[in-house]
Amino acid sequence: KVALNDSAAARLTREAAQLGQLTDSHVARLIDPPFQAGPLDAQRTLIAAEYVGDHTLADEIRQHGSLTINELERLGEDLLQAVKFLDGRSVWHRDIKPDNLALRELERKGRELVLFDFSLAGTPDTEVNVGTHDYIDPFLGQGRRISYDQAAELYSVAVTLHEMASGEVPSWGDD
């Protein structure tokens, strides 16, 4: 990943700090921490993350619609394992959605889900309006829920599971 400006470099450094502590098969691993590359007059900050394939869950849903019941069970379990792993390390991804889930091909087991793009992980919990609109908990930022929390993370998981099962994002509210 390449940062195109200073604020992106700060986000990339934060992402690397989050990824550096994660070592689960359902989470893309950090290969190289932030480093500088490019011509001296135009250096960019980069990180290297594990390549997990170029086919995402979103691609699969767009091309083939909802998953079969067997795929839903197997890949849904992968997603839940990844979130459980992150929760055990007090890390919230903050943008769980099919576009951030790669389908990694396995030699004998078919394929597995791998969560990537941790660019919002480590965002302060008080910033409740970051992420992808359809996957953000609509109750976050209201009443006593003024900070990002586990329920908000699980909301995006539930929307993703719904999309895996139905081929569409659920709608909520008037908009």
Side-chain angles (χ1 to χ4, degrees), residues 86-123:
L86 294 177
D87 187 53
R89 277 137 190 91
S90 300
V91 172
W92 287 319
H93 183 273
R94 307 240 0 206
D95 199 21
I96 294 172
K97 60 184 180 181
D99 282 308
N100 288 337
L101 289 160
L103 288 169
R104 179 176 17 217
E105 296 294 331
L106 302 173
E107 282 188 38
R108 296 183 193 168
K109 282 179 67 179
R111 50 194 185 170
E112 69 179 347
L113 280 183
V114 181
L115 187 58
F116 65 94
D117 189 358
F118 281 72
S119 58
L120 295 179
T123 300

PDB file of all heavy atoms in Angstrom, residues 86-123:
ATOM      1  N   LEU A  86      -9.862 -10.715  16.319  1.00  0.00           N
ATOM      2  CA  LEU A  86      -9.630  -9.275  16.495  1.00  0.00           C
ATOM      3  C   LEU A  86     -10.127  -8.803  17.858  1.00  0.00           C
ATOM      4  O   LEU A  86      -9.460  -8.014  18.536  1.00  0.00           O
ATOM      5  CB  LEU A  86     -10.321  -8.473  15.388  1.00  0.00           C
ATOM      6  CG  LEU A  86      -9.796  -8.668  13.983  1.00  0.00           C
ATOM      7  CD1 LEU A  86     -10.626  -7.868  12.986  1.00  0.00           C
ATOM      8  CD2 LEU A  86      -8.326  -8.290  13.885  1.00  0.00           C
ATOM      9  N   ASP A  87     -11.308  -9.278  18.261  1.00  0.00           N
ATOM     10  CA  ASP A  87     -11.871  -8.885  19.548  1.00  0.00           C
ATOM     11  C   ASP A  87     -10.947  -9.298  20.694  1.00  0.00           C
ATOM     12  O   ASP A  87     -10.763  -8.545  21.648  1.00  0.00           O
ATOM     13  CB  ASP A  87     -13.256  -9.516  19.724  1.00  0.00           C
ATOM     14  CG  ASP A  87     -13.961  -9.014  20.960  1.00  0.00           C
ATOM     15  OD1 ASP A  87     -14.073  -7.777  21.123  1.00  0.00           O
ATOM     16  OD2 ASP A  87     -14.395  -9.857  21.777  1.00  0.00           O
ATOM     17  N   GLY A  88     -10.322 -10.463  20.579  1.00  0.00           N
ATOM     18  CA  GLY A  88      -9.394 -10.933  21.608  1.00  0.00           C
ATOM     19  C   GLY A  88      -8.145 -10.072  21.715  1.00  0.00           C
ATOM     20  O   GLY A  88      -7.433 -10.125  22.723  1.00  0.00           O
ATOM     21  N   ARG A  89      -7.884  -9.277  20.703  1.00  0.00           N
ATOM     22  CA  ARG A  89      -6.727  -8.364  20.713  1.00  0.00           C
ATOM     23  C   ARG A  89      -7.153  -6.906  20.804  1.00  0.00           C
ATOM     24  O   ARG A  89      -6.370  -5.997  20.578  1.00  0.00           O
ATOM     25  CB  ARG A  89      -5.866  -8.586  19.473  1.00  0.00           C
ATOM     26  CG  ARG A  89      -4.937  -9.761  19.719  1.00  0.00           C
ATOM     27  CD  ARG A  89      -4.827 -10.686  18.576  1.00  0.00           C
ATOM     28  NE  ARG A  89      -4.105 -11.904  18.946  1.00  0.00           N
ATOM     29  CZ  ARG A  89      -4.705 -12.992  19.403  1.00  0.00           C
ATOM     30  NH1 ARG A  89      -5.982 -13.022  19.599  1.00  0.00           N
ATOM     31  NH2 ARG A  89      -4.008 -14.071  19.673  1.00  0.00           N
ATOM     32  N   SER A  90      -8.426  -6.691  21.117  1.00  0.00           N
ATOM     33  CA  SER A  90      -8.998  -5.342  21.265  1.00  0.00           C
ATOM     34  C   SER A  90      -8.776  -4.479  20.019  1.00  0.00           C
ATOM     35  O   SER A  90      -8.455  -3.304  20.110  1.00  0.00           O
ATOM     36  CB  SER A  90      -8.434  -4.647  22.502  1.00  0.00           C
ATOM     37  OG  SER A  90      -8.733  -5.398  23.660  1.00  0.00           O
ATOM     38  N   VAL A  91      -8.959  -5.094  18.843  1.00  0.00           N
ATOM     39  CA  VAL A  91      -8.833  -4.381  17.573  1.00  0.00           C
ATOM     40  C   VAL A  91     -10.181  -4.425  16.869  1.00  0.00           C
ATOM     41  O   VAL A  91     -10.784  -5.490  16.751  1.00  0.00           O
ATOM     42  CB  VAL A  91      -7.759  -5.029  16.664  1.00  0.00           C
ATOM     43  CG1 VAL A  91      -7.765  -4.413  15.275  1.00  0.00           C
ATOM     44  CG2 VAL A  91      -6.383  -4.896  17.299  1.00  0.00           C
ATOM     45  N   TRP A  92     -10.630  -3.252  16.421  1.00  0.00           N
ATOM     46  CA  TRP A  92     -11.826  -3.188  15.589  1.00  0.00           C
ATOM     47  C   TRP A  92     -11.411  -2.805  14.190  1.00  0.00           C
ATOM     48  O   TRP A  92     -10.664  -1.849  13.984  1.00  0.00           O
ATOM     49  CB  TRP A  92     -12.820  -2.170  16.131  1.00  0.00           C
ATOM     50  CG  TRP A  92     -13.509  -2.638  17.365  1.00  0.00           C
ATOM     51  CD1 TRP A  92     -13.985  -3.886  17.622  1.00  0.00           C
ATOM     52  CD2 TRP A  92     -13.796  -1.855  18.527  1.00  0.00           C
ATOM     53  NE1 TRP A  92     -14.554  -3.921  18.873  1.00  0.00           N
ATOM     54  CE2 TRP A  92     -14.466  -2.686  19.436  1.00  0.00           C
ATOM     55  CE3 TRP A  92     -13.580  -0.534  18.867  1.00  0.00           C
ATOM     56  CZ2 TRP A  92     -14.905  -2.251  20.666  1.00  0.00           C
ATOM     57  CZ3 TRP A  92     -14.021  -0.097  20.097  1.00  0.00           C
ATOM     58  CH2 TRP A  92     -14.670  -0.948  20.992  1.00  0.00           C
ATOM     59  N   HIS A  93     -11.897  -3.539  13.232  1.00  0.00           N
ATOM     60  CA  HIS A  93     -11.584  -3.275  11.829  1.00  0.00           C
ATOM     61  C   HIS A  93     -12.233  -1.975  11.376  1.00  0.00           C
ATOM     62  O   HIS A  93     -11.632  -1.179  10.668  1.00  0.00           O
ATOM     63  CB  HIS A  93     -12.065  -4.449  10.970  1.00  0.00           C
ATOM     64  CG  HIS A  93     -11.724  -4.320   9.537  1.00  0.00           C
ATOM     65  ND1 HIS A  93     -12.533  -3.643   8.643  1.00  0.00           N
ATOM     66  CD2 HIS A  93     -10.675  -4.787   8.826  1.00  0.00           C
ATOM     67  CE1 HIS A  93     -11.979  -3.698   7.441  1.00  0.00           C
ATOM     68  NE2 HIS A  93     -10.857  -4.390   7.531  1.00  0.00           N
ATOM     69  N   ARG A  94     -13.466  -1.761  11.735  1.00  0.00           N
ATOM     70  CA  ARG A  94     -14.271  -0.557  11.484  1.00  0.00           C
ATOM     71  C   ARG A  94     -14.791  -0.418  10.059  1.00  0.00           C
ATOM     72  O   ARG A  94     -15.449   0.565   9.753  1.00  0.00           O
ATOM     73  CB  ARG A  94     -13.512   0.714  11.882  1.00  0.00           C
ATOM     74  CG  ARG A  94     -12.996   0.677  13.295  1.00  0.00           C
ATOM     75  CD  ARG A  94     -13.433   1.672  14.241  1.00  0.00           C
ATOM     76  NE  ARG A  94     -14.351   2.691  13.877  1.00  0.00           N
ATOM     77  CZ  ARG A  94     -14.408   3.857  14.487  1.00  0.00           C
ATOM     78  NH1 ARG A  94     -13.565   4.134  15.438  1.00  0.00           N
ATOM     79  NH2 ARG A  94     -15.312   4.734  14.153  1.00  0.00           N
ATOM     80  N   ASP A  95     -14.527  -1.387   9.180  1.00  0.00           N
ATOM     81  CA  ASP A  95     -15.080  -1.307   7.819  1.00  0.00           C
ATOM     82  C   ASP A  95     -15.234  -2.719   7.242  1.00  0.00           C
ATOM     83  O   ASP A  95     -14.843  -2.984   6.112  1.00  0.00           O
ATOM     84  CB  ASP A  95     -14.187  -0.443   6.933  1.00  0.00           C
ATOM     85  CG  ASP A  95     -14.911   0.070   5.688  1.00  0.00           C
ATOM     86  OD1 ASP A  95     -16.174   0.099   5.690  1.00  0.00           O
ATOM     87  OD2 ASP A  95     -14.237   0.437   4.718  1.00  0.00           O
ATOM     88  N   ILE A  96     -15.850  -3.601   8.027  1.00  0.00           N
ATOM     89  CA  ILE A  96     -16.083  -4.961   7.555  1.00  0.00           C
ATOM     90  C   ILE A  96     -17.189  -4.916   6.511  1.00  0.00           C
ATOM     91  O   ILE A  96     -18.282  -4.392   6.756  1.00  0.00           O
ATOM     92  CB  ILE A  96     -16.457  -5.896   8.720  1.00  0.00           C
ATOM     93  CG1 ILE A  96     -15.264  -6.040   9.670  1.00  0.00           C
ATOM     94  CG2 ILE A  96     -16.904  -7.264   8.197  1.00  0.00           C
ATOM     95  CD1 ILE A  96     -15.565  -6.787  10.944  1.00  0.00           C
ATOM     96  N   LYS A  97     -16.872  -5.452   5.339  1.00  0.00           N
ATOM     97  CA  LYS A  97     -17.808  -5.502   4.214  1.00  0.00           C
ATOM     98  C   LYS A  97     -17.219  -6.457   3.181  1.00  0.00           C
ATOM     99  O   LYS A  97     -16.023  -6.768   3.225  1.00  0.00           O
ATOM    100  CB  LYS A  97     -18.014  -4.112   3.615  1.00  0.00           C
ATOM    101  CG  LYS A  97     -16.726  -3.490   3.083  1.00  0.00           C
ATOM    102  CD  LYS A  97     -16.954  -2.079   2.580  1.00  0.00           C
ATOM    103  CE  LYS A  97     -15.642  -1.483   2.068  1.00  0.00           C
ATOM    104  NZ  LYS A  97     -15.831  -0.125   1.591  1.00  0.00           N
ATOM    105  N   PRO A  98     -18.022  -6.925   2.251  1.00  0.00           N
ATOM    106  CA  PRO A  98     -17.519  -7.873   1.254  1.00  0.00           C
ATOM    107  C   PRO A  98     -16.334  -7.362   0.437  1.00  0.00           C
ATOM    108  O   PRO A  98     -15.490  -8.157   0.024  1.00  0.00           O
ATOM    109  CB  PRO A  98     -18.743  -8.134   0.370  1.00  0.00           C
ATOM    110  CG  PRO A  98     -19.893  -7.967   1.313  1.00  0.00           C
ATOM    111  CD  PRO A  98     -19.477  -6.807   2.190  1.00  0.00           C
ATOM    112  N   ASP A  99     -16.234  -6.057   0.211  1.00  0.00           N
ATOM    113  CA  ASP A  99     -15.097  -5.506  -0.531  1.00  0.00           C
ATOM    114  C   ASP A  99     -13.782  -5.633   0.230  1.00  0.00           C
ATOM    115  O   ASP A  99     -12.713  -5.517  -0.375  1.00  0.00           O
ATOM    116  CB  ASP A  99     -15.332  -4.034  -0.873  1.00  0.00           C
ATOM    117  CG  ASP A  99     -16.276  -3.869  -2.043  1.00  0.00           C
ATOM    118  OD1 ASP A  99     -16.033  -4.495  -3.095  1.00  0.00           O
ATOM    119  OD2 ASP A  99     -17.264  -3.123  -1.902  1.00  0.00           O
ATOM    120  N   ASN A 100     -13.831  -5.843   1.538  1.00  0.00           N
ATOM    121  CA  ASN A 100     -12.626  -5.979   2.357  1.00  0.00           C
ATOM    122  C   ASN A 100     -12.396  -7.418   2.816  1.00  0.00           C
ATOM    123  O   ASN A 100     -11.672  -7.665   3.775  1.00  0.00           O
ATOM    124  CB  ASN A 100     -12.685  -5.045   3.562  1.00  0.00           C
ATOM    125  CG  ASN A 100     -12.511  -3.599   3.166  1.00  0.00           C
ATOM    126  OD1 ASN A 100     -11.944  -3.294   2.126  1.00  0.00           O
ATOM    127  ND2 ASN A 100     -13.007  -2.696   3.991  1.00  0.00           N
ATOM    128  N   LEU A 101     -13.013  -8.351   2.120  1.00  0.00           N
ATOM    129  CA  LEU A 101     -12.846  -9.771   2.415  1.00  0.00           C
ATOM    130  C   LEU A 101     -12.399 -10.485   1.138  1.00  0.00           C
ATOM    131  O   LEU A 101     -13.146 -10.549   0.155  1.00  0.00           O
ATOM    132  CB  LEU A 101     -14.152 -10.378   2.918  1.00  0.00           C
ATOM    133  CG  LEU A 101     -14.544  -9.930   4.331  1.00  0.00           C
ATOM    134  CD1 LEU A 101     -16.021 -10.152   4.570  1.00  0.00           C
ATOM    135  CD2 LEU A 101     -13.707 -10.667   5.363  1.00  0.00           C
ATOM    136  N   ALA A 102     -11.180 -10.989   1.155  1.00  0.00           N
ATOM    137  CA  ALA A 102     -10.659 -11.729   0.001  1.00  0.00           C
ATOM    138  C   ALA A 102     -11.068 -13.188   0.108  1.00  0.00           C
ATOM    139  O   ALA A 102     -11.218 -13.732   1.206  1.00  0.00           O
ATOM    140  CB  ALA A 102      -9.139 -11.621  -0.051  1.00  0.00           C
ATOM    141  N   LEU A 103     -11.240 -13.815  -1.040  1.00  0.00           N
ATOM    142  CA  LEU A 103     -11.472 -15.251  -1.100  1.00  0.00           C
ATOM    143  C   LEU A 103     -10.161 -15.911  -1.506  1.00  0.00           C
ATOM    144  O   LEU A 103      -9.747 -15.847  -2.655  1.00  0.00           O
ATOM    145  CB  LEU A 103     -12.567 -15.575  -2.120  1.00  0.00           C
ATOM    146  CG  LEU A 103     -13.973 -15.193  -1.690  1.00  0.00           C
ATOM    147  CD1 LEU A 103     -14.935 -15.305  -2.863  1.00  0.00           C
ATOM    148  CD2 LEU A 103     -14.436 -16.064  -0.540  1.00  0.00           C
ATOM    149  N   ARG A 104      -9.491 -16.494  -0.516  1.00  0.00           N
ATOM    150  CA  ARG A 104      -8.212 -17.147  -0.775  1.00  0.00           C
ATOM    151  C   ARG A 104      -8.471 -18.610  -1.149  1.00  0.00           C
ATOM    152  O   ARG A 104      -9.168 -19.320  -0.429  1.00  0.00           O
ATOM    153  CB  ARG A 104      -7.312 -17.080   0.454  1.00  0.00           C
ATOM    154  CG  ARG A 104      -5.993 -17.781   0.207  1.00  0.00           C
ATOM    155  CD  ARG A 104      -4.956 -17.732   1.285  1.00  0.00           C
ATOM    156  NE  ARG A 104      -5.338 -17.360   2.600  1.00  0.00           N
ATOM    157  CZ  ARG A 104      -4.575 -16.618   3.425  1.00  0.00           C
ATOM    158  NH1 ARG A 104      -3.408 -16.169   3.018  1.00  0.00           N
ATOM    159  NH2 ARG A 104      -4.981 -16.342   4.633  1.00  0.00           N
ATOM    160  N   GLU A 105      -7.899 -19.011  -2.285  1.00  0.00           N
ATOM    161  CA  GLU A 105      -8.029 -20.391  -2.745  1.00  0.00           C
ATOM    162  C   GLU A 105      -7.097 -21.287  -1.932  1.00  0.00           C
ATOM    163  O   GLU A 105      -5.929 -20.956  -1.736  1.00  0.00           O
ATOM    164  CB  GLU A 105      -7.685 -20.498  -4.231  1.00  0.00           C
ATOM    165  CG  GLU A 105      -8.630 -19.744  -5.143  1.00  0.00           C
ATOM    166  CD  GLU A 105     -10.039 -20.302  -5.167  1.00  0.00           C
ATOM    167  OE1 GLU A 105     -10.212 -21.525  -4.964  1.00  0.00           O
ATOM    168  OE2 GLU A 105     -10.971 -19.511  -5.392  1.00  0.00           O
ATOM    169  N   LEU A 106      -7.618 -22.407  -1.481  1.00  0.00           N
ATOM    170  CA  LEU A 106      -6.837 -23.395  -0.733  1.00  0.00           C
ATOM    171  C   LEU A 106      -6.706 -24.650  -1.579  1.00  0.00           C
ATOM    172  O   LEU A 106      -7.611 -24.976  -2.356  1.00  0.00           O
ATOM    173  CB  LEU A 106      -7.521 -23.726   0.594  1.00  0.00           C
ATOM    174  CG  LEU A 106      -7.760 -22.546   1.539  1.00  0.00           C
ATOM    175  CD1 LEU A 106      -8.589 -22.993   2.727  1.00  0.00           C
ATOM    176  CD2 LEU A 106      -6.439 -21.956   1.995  1.00  0.00           C
ATOM    177  N   GLU A 107      -5.622 -25.349  -1.418  1.00  0.00           N
ATOM    178  CA  GLU A 107      -5.379 -26.533  -2.248  1.00  0.00           C
ATOM    179  C   GLU A 107      -6.438 -27.610  -2.086  1.00  0.00           C
ATOM    180  O   GLU A 107      -6.922 -28.152  -3.054  1.00  0.00           O
ATOM    181  CB  GLU A 107      -3.992 -27.120  -1.950  1.00  0.00           C
ATOM    182  CG  GLU A 107      -2.880 -26.340  -2.599  1.00  0.00           C
ATOM    183  CD  GLU A 107      -1.548 -27.050  -2.462  1.00  0.00           C
ATOM    184  OE1 GLU A 107      -1.532 -28.293  -2.552  1.00  0.00           O
ATOM    185  OE2 GLU A 107      -0.549 -26.347  -2.273  1.00  0.00           O
ATOM    186  N   ARG A 108      -6.824 -27.920  -0.870  1.00  0.00           N
ATOM    187  CA  ARG A 108      -7.742 -29.038  -0.663  1.00  0.00           C
ATOM    188  C   ARG A 108      -9.068 -28.648  -0.028  1.00  0.00           C
ATOM    189  O   ARG A 108     -10.014 -29.419  -0.071  1.00  0.00           O
ATOM    190  CB  ARG A 108      -7.078 -30.098   0.209  1.00  0.00           C
ATOM    191  CG  ARG A 108      -5.885 -30.685  -0.481  1.00  0.00           C
ATOM    192  CD  ARG A 108      -5.262 -31.765   0.313  1.00  0.00           C
ATOM    193  NE  ARG A 108      -3.959 -32.054  -0.289  1.00  0.00           N
ATOM    194  CZ  ARG A 108      -3.052 -32.761   0.252  1.00  0.00           C
ATOM    195  NH1 ARG A 108      -3.260 -33.314   1.425  1.00  0.00           N
ATOM    196  NH2 ARG A 108      -1.910 -32.958  -0.353  1.00  0.00           N
ATOM    197  N   LYS A 109      -9.143 -27.481   0.561  1.00  0.00           N
ATOM    198  CA  LYS A 109     -10.338 -27.106   1.308  1.00  0.00           C
ATOM    199  C   LYS A 109     -11.244 -26.134   0.556  1.00  0.00           C
ATOM    200  O   LYS A 109     -12.187 -25.622   1.128  1.00  0.00           O
ATOM    201  CB  LYS A 109      -9.939 -26.459   2.628  1.00  0.00           C
ATOM    202  CG  LYS A 109      -9.516 -27.439   3.687  1.00  0.00           C
ATOM    203  CD  LYS A 109      -9.118 -26.752   4.960  1.00  0.00           C
ATOM    204  CE  LYS A 109     -10.255 -26.068   5.648  1.00  0.00           C
ATOM    205  NZ  LYS A 109      -9.881 -25.415   6.892  1.00  0.00           N
ATOM    206  N   GLY A 110     -10.984 -25.850  -0.686  1.00  0.00           N
ATOM    207  CA  GLY A 110     -11.806 -24.876  -1.395  1.00  0.00           C
ATOM    208  C   GLY A 110     -11.239 -23.479  -1.223  1.00  0.00           C
ATOM    209  O   GLY A 110     -10.177 -23.170  -1.738  1.00  0.00           O
ATOM    210  N   ARG A 111     -11.914 -22.659  -0.443  1.00  0.00           N
ATOM    211  CA  ARG A 111     -11.436 -21.294  -0.219  1.00  0.00           C
ATOM    212  C   ARG A 111     -11.832 -20.817   1.158  1.00  0.00           C
ATOM    213  O   ARG A 111     -12.715 -21.392   1.798  1.00  0.00           O
ATOM    214  CB  ARG A 111     -11.951 -20.367  -1.304  1.00  0.00           C
ATOM    215  CG  ARG A 111     -13.409 -20.448  -1.544  1.00  0.00           C
ATOM    216  CD  ARG A 111     -13.797 -19.773  -2.828  1.00  0.00           C
ATOM    217  NE  ARG A 111     -15.248 -19.795  -2.943  1.00  0.00           N
ATOM    218  CZ  ARG A 111     -15.939 -19.151  -3.823  1.00  0.00           C
ATOM    219  NH1 ARG A 111     -15.317 -18.404  -4.705  1.00  0.00           N
ATOM    220  NH2 ARG A 111     -17.235 -19.215  -3.856  1.00  0.00           N
ATOM    221  N   GLU A 112     -11.158 -19.763   1.591  1.00  0.00           N
ATOM    222  CA  GLU A 112     -11.428 -19.184   2.901  1.00  0.00           C
ATOM    223  C   GLU A 112     -11.478 -17.672   2.771  1.00  0.00           C
ATOM    224  O   GLU A 112     -10.916 -17.091   1.850  1.00  0.00           O
ATOM    225  CB  GLU A 112     -10.374 -19.596   3.923  1.00  0.00           C
ATOM    226  CG  GLU A 112      -9.005 -19.002   3.684  1.00  0.00           C
ATOM    227  CD  GLU A 112      -7.980 -19.420   4.727  1.00  0.00           C
ATOM    228  OE1 GLU A 112      -8.348 -19.970   5.772  1.00  0.00           O
ATOM    229  OE2 GLU A 112      -6.790 -19.190   4.478  1.00  0.00           O
ATOM    230  N   LEU A 113     -12.153 -17.030   3.727  1.00  0.00           N
ATOM    231  CA  LEU A 113     -12.210 -15.575   3.774  1.00  0.00           C
ATOM    232  C   LEU A 113     -11.012 -15.031   4.525  1.00  0.00           C
ATOM    233  O   LEU A 113     -10.619 -15.580   5.559  1.00  0.00           O
ATOM    234  CB  LEU A 113     -13.470 -15.107   4.501  1.00  0.00           C
ATOM    235  CG  LEU A 113     -14.774 -15.103   3.736  1.00  0.00           C
ATOM    236  CD1 LEU A 113     -15.885 -14.537   4.604  1.00  0.00           C
ATOM    237  CD2 LEU A 113     -14.674 -14.329   2.446  1.00  0.00           C
ATOM    238  N   VAL A 114     -10.457 -13.927   4.006  1.00  0.00           N
ATOM    239  CA  VAL A 114      -9.354 -13.243   4.669  1.00  0.00           C
ATOM    240  C   VAL A 114      -9.692 -11.761   4.714  1.00  0.00           C
ATOM    241  O   VAL A 114      -9.935 -11.137   3.675  1.00  0.00           O
ATOM    242  CB  VAL A 114      -8.016 -13.463   3.929  1.00  0.00           C
ATOM    243  CG1 VAL A 114      -6.881 -12.752   4.654  1.00  0.00           C
ATOM    244  CG2 VAL A 114      -7.716 -14.944   3.787  1.00  0.00           C
ATOM    245  N   LEU A 115      -9.705 -11.210   5.903  1.00  0.00           N
ATOM    246  CA  LEU A 115     -10.019  -9.800   6.111  1.00  0.00           C
ATOM    247  C   LEU A 115      -8.782  -8.956   5.838  1.00  0.00           C
ATOM    248  O   LEU A 115      -7.693  -9.262   6.319  1.00  0.00           O
ATOM    249  CB  LEU A 115     -10.492  -9.606   7.556  1.00  0.00           C
ATOM    250  CG  LEU A 115     -11.035  -8.256   7.982  1.00  0.00           C
ATOM    251  CD1 LEU A 115     -12.226  -7.835   7.130  1.00  0.00           C
ATOM    252  CD2 LEU A 115     -11.440  -8.325   9.458  1.00  0.00           C
ATOM    253  N   PHE A 116      -8.937  -7.893   5.059  1.00  0.00           N
ATOM    254  CA  PHE A 116      -7.823  -7.002   4.770  1.00  0.00           C
ATOM    255  C   PHE A 116      -8.298  -5.549   4.834  1.00  0.00           C
ATOM    256  O   PHE A 116      -9.442  -5.288   5.169  1.00  0.00           O
ATOM    257  CB  PHE A 116      -7.191  -7.337   3.401  1.00  0.00           C
ATOM    258  CG  PHE A 116      -8.090  -7.103   2.213  1.00  0.00           C
ATOM    259  CD1 PHE A 116      -8.043  -5.894   1.530  1.00  0.00           C
ATOM    260  CD2 PHE A 116      -8.963  -8.079   1.780  1.00  0.00           C
ATOM    261  CE1 PHE A 116      -8.878  -5.666   0.442  1.00  0.00           C
ATOM    262  CE2 PHE A 116      -9.787  -7.867   0.687  1.00  0.00           C
ATOM    263  CZ  PHE A 116      -9.745  -6.656   0.022  1.00  0.00           C
ATOM    264  N   ASP A 117      -7.429  -4.622   4.520  1.00  0.00           N
ATOM    265  CA  ASP A 117      -7.672  -3.174   4.560  1.00  0.00           C
ATOM    266  C   ASP A 117      -8.049  -2.711   5.970  1.00  0.00           C
ATOM    267  O   ASP A 117      -9.207  -2.476   6.281  1.00  0.00           O
ATOM    268  CB  ASP A 117      -8.722  -2.727   3.558  1.00  0.00           C
ATOM    269  CG  ASP A 117      -8.783  -1.197   3.462  1.00  0.00           C
ATOM    270  OD1 ASP A 117      -8.036  -0.498   4.198  1.00  0.00           O
ATOM    271  OD2 ASP A 117      -9.580  -0.688   2.654  1.00  0.00           O
ATOM    272  N   PHE A 118      -7.033  -2.560   6.783  1.00  0.00           N
ATOM    273  CA  PHE A 118      -7.213  -2.105   8.157  1.00  0.00           C
ATOM    274  C   PHE A 118      -6.969  -0.603   8.285  1.00  0.00           C
ATOM    275  O   PHE A 118      -6.515  -0.124   9.318  1.00  0.00           O
ATOM    276  CB  PHE A 118      -6.283  -2.897   9.091  1.00  0.00           C
ATOM    277  CG  PHE A 118      -6.809  -4.261   9.432  1.00  0.00           C
ATOM    278  CD1 PHE A 118      -6.808  -5.273   8.486  1.00  0.00           C
ATOM    279  CD2 PHE A 118      -7.332  -4.523  10.685  1.00  0.00           C
ATOM    280  CE1 PHE A 118      -7.304  -6.534   8.787  1.00  0.00           C
ATOM    281  CE2 PHE A 118      -7.832  -5.781  10.996  1.00  0.00           C
ATOM    282  CZ  PHE A 118      -7.817  -6.788  10.040  1.00  0.00           C
ATOM    283  N   SER A 119      -7.274   0.139   7.228  1.00  0.00           N
ATOM    284  CA  SER A 119      -6.983   1.573   7.221  1.00  0.00           C
ATOM    285  C   SER A 119      -7.796   2.355   8.245  1.00  0.00           C
ATOM    286  O   SER A 119      -7.396   3.447   8.642  1.00  0.00           O
ATOM    287  CB  SER A 119      -7.177   2.163   5.824  1.00  0.00           C
ATOM    288  OG  SER A 119      -8.491   1.936   5.364  1.00  0.00           O
ATOM    289  N   LEU A 120      -8.924   1.831   8.699  1.00  0.00           N
ATOM    290  CA  LEU A 120      -9.715   2.529   9.716  1.00  0.00           C
ATOM    291  C   LEU A 120      -9.487   1.975  11.123  1.00  0.00           C
ATOM    292  O   LEU A 120      -9.938   2.564  12.098  1.00  0.00           O
ATOM    293  CB  LEU A 120     -11.205   2.469   9.370  1.00  0.00           C
ATOM    294  CG  LEU A 120     -11.606   3.201   8.093  1.00  0.00           C
ATOM    295  CD1 LEU A 120     -13.107   3.050   7.840  1.00  0.00           C
ATOM    296  CD2 LEU A 120     -11.215   4.660   8.154  1.00  0.00           C
ATOM    297  N   ALA A 121      -8.806   0.843  11.235  1.00  0.00           N
ATOM    298  CA  ALA A 121      -8.502   0.282  12.551  1.00  0.00           C
ATOM    299  C   ALA A 121      -7.627   1.277  13.306  1.00  0.00           C
ATOM    300  O   ALA A 121      -6.725   1.878  12.743  1.00  0.00           O
ATOM    301  CB  ALA A 121      -7.780  -1.049  12.404  1.00  0.00           C
ATOM    302  N   GLY A 122      -7.925   1.467  14.556  1.00  0.00           N
ATOM    303  CA  GLY A 122      -7.167   2.427  15.350  1.00  0.00           C
ATOM    304  C   GLY A 122      -7.732   3.835  15.296  1.00  0.00           C
ATOM    305  O   GLY A 122      -7.243   4.732  15.983  1.00  0.00           O
ATOM    306  N   THR A 123      -8.765   4.051  14.480  1.00  0.00           N
ATOM    307  CA  THR A 123      -9.442   5.346  14.465  1.00  0.00           C
ATOM    308  C   THR A 123     -10.041   5.569  15.853  1.00  0.00           C
ATOM    309  O   THR A 123     -10.594   4.633  16.433  1.00  0.00           O
ATOM    310  CB  THR A 123     -10.566   5.359  13.400  1.00  0.00           C
ATOM    311  OG1 THR A 123      -9.981   5.125  12.120  1.00  0.00           O
ATOM    312  CG2 THR A 123     -11.315   6.672  13.394  1.00  0.00           C
TER     313      THR A 123
END
